[in-house]
Amino acid sequence: AQKVTQAQTEISVVEKEDVTLDCVYETRDTTYYLFWYKQPPSGELVFLIRRNSFDEQNEISGRYSWNFQKSTSSFNFTITASQVVDSAVYFCALSVSTSGTYKYIFGTGTRLKVLA
Amino acid sequence: AAGVIQSPRHLIKEKRETATLKCYPIPRHDTVYWYQQGPGQDPQFLISFYEKMQSDKGSIPDRFSAQQFSDYHSELNMSSLELGDSALYFCASSLGIAGGYNEQFFGPGTRLTVL
Protein backbone atom coordinates (compact mmCIF):
# COMPACT_ATOMS: atom_id res chain seq x y z
CA ALA A 1 0.00 0.00 0.00
CA GLN A 2 1.08 3.56 -0.66
CA LYS A 3 0.50 5.76 2.34
CA VAL A 4 1.72 8.89 4.08
CA THR A 5 1.24 9.40 7.80
CA GLN A 6 1.55 12.70 9.59
CA ALA A 7 0.78 11.76 13.15
CA GLN A 8 0.88 15.32 14.48
CA THR A 9 -2.48 16.94 13.81
CA GLU A 10 -1.64 20.28 15.33
CA ILE A 11 1.44 21.80 16.94
CA SER A 12 1.66 25.11 18.77
CA VAL A 13 4.99 26.78 19.50
CA VAL A 14 6.11 30.16 20.67
CA GLU A 15 7.97 32.33 18.21
CA LYS A 16 11.69 31.54 17.92
CA GLU A 17 11.25 27.96 19.04
CA ASP A 18 12.41 25.15 16.76
CA VAL A 19 9.76 22.70 15.58
CA THR A 20 9.92 19.38 13.72
CA LEU A 21 7.07 18.04 11.63
CA ASP A 22 7.06 14.27 11.18
CA CYS A 23 6.27 12.34 8.02
CA VAL A 24 6.31 8.56 7.64
CA TYR A 25 5.61 6.94 4.29
CA GLU A 26 4.88 3.47 2.96
CA THR A 27 5.62 2.29 -0.54
CA ARG A 28 6.77 -0.89 -2.27
CA ASP A 29 8.42 1.08 -5.07
CA THR A 30 12.21 1.24 -5.12
CA THR A 31 12.14 4.61 -6.86
CA TYR A 32 9.86 7.18 -5.34
CA TYR A 33 9.61 10.88 -4.68
CA LEU A 34 8.64 12.80 -1.58
CA PHE A 35 7.51 16.39 -1.27
CA TRP A 36 6.57 18.95 1.34
CA TYR A 37 3.97 21.63 0.68
CA LYS A 38 2.82 24.54 2.80
CA GLN A 39 -0.81 25.71 2.86
CA PRO A 40 -1.11 29.11 4.53
CA PRO A 41 -4.49 30.47 5.67
CA SER A 42 -5.00 31.97 2.21
CA GLY A 43 -5.39 28.40 0.91
CA GLU A 44 -2.85 27.96 -1.84
CA LEU A 45 -0.42 25.03 -1.85
CA VAL A 46 3.20 26.13 -1.95
CA PHE A 47 5.96 23.73 -2.93
CA LEU A 48 8.81 23.58 -0.39
CA ILE A 49 11.06 20.66 -1.24
CA ARG A 50 11.34 17.42 -3.19
CA ARG A 51 13.49 14.38 -2.46
CA ASN A 52 13.98 11.21 -4.49
CA SER A 53 14.61 7.81 -2.96
CA PHE A 54 18.24 7.70 -4.06
CA ASP A 55 19.18 10.95 -2.39
CA GLU A 56 19.40 10.65 1.37
CA GLN A 57 21.41 13.78 1.78
CA ASN A 58 19.76 16.12 4.24
CA GLU A 59 19.07 19.63 3.08
CA ILE A 60 19.06 23.03 4.69
CA SER A 61 17.46 26.10 3.17
CA GLY A 62 17.55 29.10 5.43
CA ARG A 63 15.50 28.28 8.52
CA TYR A 64 14.15 25.09 6.92
CA SER A 65 15.83 21.71 7.01
CA TRP A 66 14.79 18.23 5.99
CA ASN A 67 15.91 14.83 7.30
CA PHE A 68 15.26 11.91 4.95
CA GLN A 69 15.91 8.43 6.36
CA LYS A 70 15.04 5.42 4.23
CA SER A 71 15.76 3.03 7.09
CA THR A 72 12.81 4.43 9.02
CA SER A 73 10.78 5.58 5.99
CA SER A 74 10.71 9.09 7.35
CA PHE A 75 11.04 12.52 5.79
CA ASN A 76 10.89 15.03 8.61
CA PHE A 77 10.85 18.80 8.32
CA THR A 78 12.36 21.19 10.85
CA ILE A 79 11.80 24.92 11.12
CA THR A 80 14.44 26.71 13.15
CA ALA A 81 13.60 29.89 15.03
CA SER A 82 9.96 29.76 13.99
CA GLN A 83 8.09 32.91 13.04
CA VAL A 84 4.42 33.83 13.07
CA VAL A 85 4.44 33.75 9.26
CA ASP A 86 5.26 30.03 9.43
CA SER A 87 1.75 29.39 10.73
CA ALA A 88 0.14 27.12 8.15
CA VAL A 89 -0.84 23.55 7.42
CA TYR A 90 2.09 21.51 6.15
CA PHE A 91 1.52 18.49 3.93
CA CYS A 92 3.94 15.70 3.17
CA ALA A 93 3.23 13.95 -0.14
CA LEU A 94 4.37 10.79 -1.89
CA SER A 95 4.41 10.79 -5.68
CA VAL A 96 3.13 7.48 -6.99
CA SER A 97 2.49 6.06 -10.44
CA THR A 98 -0.27 3.62 -11.30
CA SER A 99 -0.51 4.08 -15.05
CA GLY A 100 2.58 5.88 -16.23
CA THR A 101 1.82 9.30 -14.85
CA TYR A 102 2.24 10.38 -11.29
CA LYS A 103 -0.15 11.65 -8.67
CA TYR A 104 0.30 12.73 -5.09
CA ILE A 105 -0.83 10.88 -2.03
CA PHE A 106 -0.91 13.46 0.73
CA GLY A 107 -0.64 12.97 4.44
CA THR A 108 -3.41 14.43 6.54
CA GLY A 109 -1.33 17.51 7.26
CA THR A 110 0.04 19.13 10.38
CA ARG A 111 -1.36 22.50 11.43
CA LEU A 112 1.44 24.63 12.86
CA LYS A 113 0.54 27.61 15.01
CA VAL A 114 3.35 29.95 15.91
CA LEU A 115 2.40 32.28 18.71
CA ALA A 116 3.93 35.70 19.14
CA ALA B 1 6.80 33.64 -13.68
CA ALA B 2 3.47 32.39 -14.95
CA GLY B 3 1.47 30.29 -12.53
CA VAL B 4 -1.50 27.98 -12.80
CA ILE B 5 -4.70 29.93 -13.28
CA GLN B 6 -8.05 28.73 -12.05
CA SER B 7 -11.44 30.26 -12.56
CA PRO B 8 -13.67 31.08 -10.96
CA ARG B 9 -12.05 31.51 -7.56
CA HIS B 10 -15.36 31.19 -5.74
CA LEU B 11 -18.56 29.53 -6.84
CA ILE B 12 -21.86 29.14 -5.09
CA LYS B 13 -24.41 26.67 -6.45
CA GLU B 14 -27.64 25.09 -5.36
CA LYS B 15 -28.09 21.34 -4.95
CA ARG B 16 -28.66 19.50 -8.23
CA GLU B 17 -27.15 22.32 -10.28
CA THR B 18 -24.07 21.96 -12.48
CA ALA B 19 -20.70 23.66 -12.22
CA THR B 20 -17.73 24.04 -14.53
CA LEU B 21 -14.27 24.76 -13.18
CA LYS B 22 -11.49 25.90 -15.47
CA CYS B 23 -7.74 25.49 -15.25
CA TYR B 24 -4.96 27.03 -17.32
CA PRO B 25 -1.64 25.26 -16.70
CA ILE B 26 1.79 26.80 -16.74
CA PRO B 27 2.95 27.18 -20.35
CA ARG B 28 4.77 24.10 -21.68
CA HIS B 29 3.53 21.91 -18.85
CA ASP B 30 2.07 18.75 -20.37
CA THR B 31 0.31 17.22 -17.37
CA VAL B 32 -2.71 18.56 -15.51
CA TYR B 33 -4.16 17.21 -12.27
CA TRP B 34 -7.35 17.88 -10.34
CA TYR B 35 -7.59 17.49 -6.57
CA GLN B 36 -10.49 17.96 -4.16
CA GLN B 37 -9.86 19.21 -0.63
CA GLY B 38 -12.77 19.00 1.80
CA PRO B 39 -12.84 21.18 4.93
CA GLY B 40 -9.99 20.19 7.24
CA GLN B 41 -8.97 17.39 4.89
CA ASP B 42 -5.95 16.66 2.74
CA PRO B 43 -6.22 17.06 -1.03
CA GLN B 44 -7.55 13.96 -2.77
CA PHE B 45 -6.59 13.13 -6.34
CA LEU B 46 -9.48 13.16 -8.80
CA ILE B 47 -8.11 12.85 -12.32
CA SER B 48 -5.12 13.72 -14.51
CA PHE B 49 -4.35 14.36 -18.15
CA TYR B 50 -1.12 13.95 -20.06
CA GLU B 51 -0.90 15.53 -23.49
CA LYS B 52 -4.68 15.95 -23.60
CA MET B 53 -5.40 12.30 -22.85
CA GLN B 54 -6.77 11.08 -19.54
CA SER B 55 -3.86 9.41 -17.78
CA ASP B 56 -5.17 8.42 -14.36
CA LYS B 57 -8.35 8.49 -12.38
CA GLY B 58 -8.86 8.61 -8.64
CA SER B 59 -11.97 8.71 -6.51
CA ILE B 60 -13.91 10.93 -8.89
CA PRO B 61 -17.70 10.53 -8.76
CA ASP B 62 -19.48 9.51 -11.95
CA ARG B 63 -21.29 12.87 -11.78
CA PHE B 64 -17.98 14.56 -12.51
CA SER B 65 -16.19 14.61 -15.83
CA ALA B 66 -13.13 16.41 -17.09
CA GLN B 67 -11.22 17.02 -20.24
CA GLN B 68 -8.14 18.75 -21.52
CA PHE B 69 -8.40 20.84 -24.64
CA SER B 70 -6.04 21.44 -27.55
CA ASP B 71 -4.65 24.58 -25.84
CA TYR B 72 -3.93 22.43 -22.75
CA HIS B 73 -6.47 24.11 -20.53
CA SER B 74 -8.69 21.74 -18.61
CA GLU B 75 -12.25 21.84 -17.35
CA LEU B 76 -13.88 19.90 -14.55
CA ASN B 77 -17.61 19.51 -15.03
CA MET B 78 -19.73 18.65 -12.04
CA SER B 79 -23.40 17.77 -12.33
CA SER B 80 -26.20 17.03 -9.87
CA LEU B 81 -24.26 18.82 -7.19
CA GLU B 82 -24.58 17.58 -3.64
CA LEU B 83 -23.85 19.31 -0.34
CA GLY B 84 -20.82 17.04 0.10
CA ASP B 85 -19.26 18.46 -3.06
CA SER B 86 -18.53 21.68 -1.20
CA ALA B 87 -14.74 21.83 -1.18
CA LEU B 88 -11.65 23.55 -2.49
CA TYR B 89 -10.78 22.24 -5.93
CA PHE B 90 -7.17 22.51 -6.98
CA CYS B 91 -5.71 22.21 -10.40
CA ALA B 92 -2.00 21.50 -10.70
CA SER B 93 0.38 21.17 -13.63
CA SER B 94 3.78 19.66 -14.14
CA LEU B 95 6.23 18.54 -16.75
CA GLY B 96 5.26 14.90 -16.97
CA ILE B 97 8.16 13.76 -19.07
CA ALA B 98 10.47 13.35 -16.06
CA GLY B 99 8.02 11.22 -14.20
CA GLY B 100 7.34 11.79 -10.53
CA TYR B 101 10.42 13.87 -9.92
CA ASN B 102 9.01 17.17 -11.13
CA GLU B 103 6.92 18.95 -8.60
CA GLN B 104 3.32 19.81 -9.28
CA PHE B 105 2.53 23.50 -9.29
CA PHE B 106 -0.85 24.23 -7.81
CA GLY B 107 -3.30 26.91 -8.75
CA PRO B 108 -5.03 29.04 -6.10
CA GLY B 109 -8.04 26.74 -6.08
CA THR B 110 -11.75 27.19 -6.69
CA ARG B 111 -13.85 27.23 -3.56
CA LEU B 112 -17.19 25.59 -4.38
CA THR B 113 -20.07 25.99 -1.97
CA VAL B 114 -23.21 23.96 -2.56
CA LEU B 115 -26.30 25.22 -0.75
Side-chain angles (χ1 to χ4, degrees):
Chain A
Q2 320 261 30
K3 187 178 175 183
V4 176
T5 300
Q6 294 180 257
Q8 303 151 309
T9 305
E10 185 169 311
I11 300 175
S12 291
V13 298
V14 177
E15 213 172 13
K16 296 181 185 168
E17 285 186 356
D18 299 347
V19 58
T20 295
L21 309 182
D22 298 334
C23 172
V24 174
Y25 62 91
E26 293 177 35
T27 180
R28 279 192 291 261
D29 295 345
T30 53
T31 301
Y32 51 89
Y33 307 91
L34 295 161
F35 299 80
W36 275 95
Y37 281 82
K38 174 182 180 179
Q39 187 172 40
S42 50
E44 72 272 22
L45 282 164
V46 179
F47 165 74
L48 294 177
I49 193 171
R50 135 191 81 223
R51 182 63 75 230
N52 72 52
S53 52
F54 297 116
D55 182 3
E56 290 197 68
Q57 188 173 11
N58 293 327
E59 182 163 335
I60 298 174
S61 176
R63 296 185 297 108
Y64 295 169
S65 62
W66 290 269
N67 184 347
F68 175 40
Q69 292 195 333
K70 285 179 73 172
S71 60
T72 56
S73 297
S74 66
F75 185 37
N76 297 336
F77 171 33
T78 297
I79 302 175
T80 303
S82 59
Q83 300 176 0
V84 172
V85 294
D86 296 327
S87 297
V89 179
Y90 290 85
F91 289 100
C92 181
L94 174 66
S95 183
V96 299
S97 172
T98 54
S99 58
T101 54
Y102 287 77
K103 64 188 177 191
Y104 284 164
I105 293 177
F106 286 91
T108 49
T110 297
R111 181 177 299 277
L112 174 64
K113 293 184 177 179
V114 181
L115 308 172
Chain B
V4 177
I5 298 171
Q6 290 188 247
S7 67
R9 295 291 307 277
H10 301 273
L11 191 58
I12 299 175
K13 290 286 184 178
E14 299 278 342
K15 277 196 317 185
R16 292 181 288 277
E17 285 191 324
T18 61
T20 297
L21 280 52
K22 296 186 179 182
C23 169
Y24 298 85
I26 292 172
R28 293 191 301 282
H29 280 192
D30 51 18
T31 307
V32 167
Y33 313 78
W34 286 96
Y35 291 83
Q36 177 192 57
Q37 186 179 25
Q41 305 292 314
D42 54 289
Q44 295 288 318
F45 171 74
L46 292 177
I47 195 165
S48 63
F49 295 87
Y50 172 66
E51 284 292 346
K52 294 160 279 186
M53 298 288 290
Q54 181 182 310
S55 54
D56 199 0
K57 204 169 180 180
S59 47
I60 182 170
D62 292 340
R63 299 179 288 107
F64 294 6
S65 64
Q67 55 182 324
Q68 187 177 28
F69 295 85
S70 57
D71 64 352
Y72 288 90
H73 94 273
S74 178
E75 295 183 5
L76 178 66
N77 298 294
M78 309 158 71
S79 62
S80 302
L81 287 169
E82 302 173 357
L83 296 178
D85 296 329
S86 294
L88 188 56
Y89 290 83
F90 285 107
C91 172
S93 72
S94 73
L95 277 172
I97 193 168
Y101 182 76
N102 287 336
E103 66 270 28
Q104 296 178 25
F105 291 86
F106 285 80
T110 294
R111 187 167 297 282
L112 172 66
T113 303
V114 181
L115 302 176

